[in-house]
Amino acid sequence: MLPTENRLRRREDFATAVRRGRRAGRPALVVHLRSGATDPHAPGESAPPTRAGFVVSKAVGGAVVRTKVKRRLRHLMRDRIHLFPPGSLVVVRALPGAGDADHAQLARDLDAALERLLGGGAR
C-alpha cells in the first residue's frame, strides 16, 4: 500500500499535475508528472514528499475491475515513488485496456512511461 504522505487527494493537485505537468502514454495507462512542484499546504521548510494519485474511470470496467487496477497501480507505484524528485505530483490514469492487462503488463507500461518522463524523453 502507498503510504498516506505519498497519496494525492486534493482535486487541485490532480488538476495541477494533469494540466501543468509532462505526460507519457502507454497502451494501458497515461502518467502525468509535475516535477518538484512546491506544496503550499506543507508546513515548514522541509521538502514535501512525492505524491501520487490514480484515475480509473468506468471505461476500464466494473467496480471489481476498477478496484483491482487501482490496487495493482498503488502497489507498483509504492516501489517506484523514490525515483521522483521531492515535491513531485504524479497522476496515473488507467486506459480502458488496463482492465484486461495483467500485473506484469501494467508494470511494463508504468516503467516505460516513467523512463520516458524521468529519462528526459521528448513529449
Side-chain angles (χ1 to χ4, degrees):
M1 187 61 71
L2 199 60
T4 303
E5 66 270 5
N6 294 118
R7 293 185 192 170
L8 194 62
R9 295 187 175 165
R10 298 173 56 90
R11 180 183 178 101
E12 301 85 28
D13 294 337
F14 274 90
T16 298
V18 171
R19 292 183 184 144
R20 295 185 183 167
R22 295 173 51 218
R23 178 183 71 219
R26 304 302 307 156
L29 51 88
V30 176
V31 179
H32 300 269
L33 171 64
R34 173 80 168 150
S35 250
T38 58
D39 183 9
H41 309 292
E45 296 294 322
S46 64
T50 298
R51 293 180 293 146
F54 305 93
V55 178
V56 184
S57 73
K58 288 186 180 180
V60 172
V64 173
V65 173
R66 291 193 314 268
T67 302
K68 180 177 69 172
V69 169
K70 279 186 276 192
R71 291 181 71 180
R72 285 179 175 173
L73 289 172
R74 275 197 307 263
H75 177 77
L76 291 168
M77 187 57 75
R78 179 188 67 190
D79 297 334
R80 292 159 178 82
I81 201 81
H82 69 279
L83 299 173
F84 299 97
S88 295
L89 303 177
V90 183
V91 174
V92 180
R93 183 168 45 96
L95 298 176
D100 298 327
D102 61 357
H103 187 79
Q105 180 63 41
L106 286 175
R108 281 192 300 273
D109 282 357
L110 183 61
D111 287 337
L114 295 181
E115 173 70 27
R116 183 170 177 190
L117 288 172
L118 298 173
R123 242 161 80 162

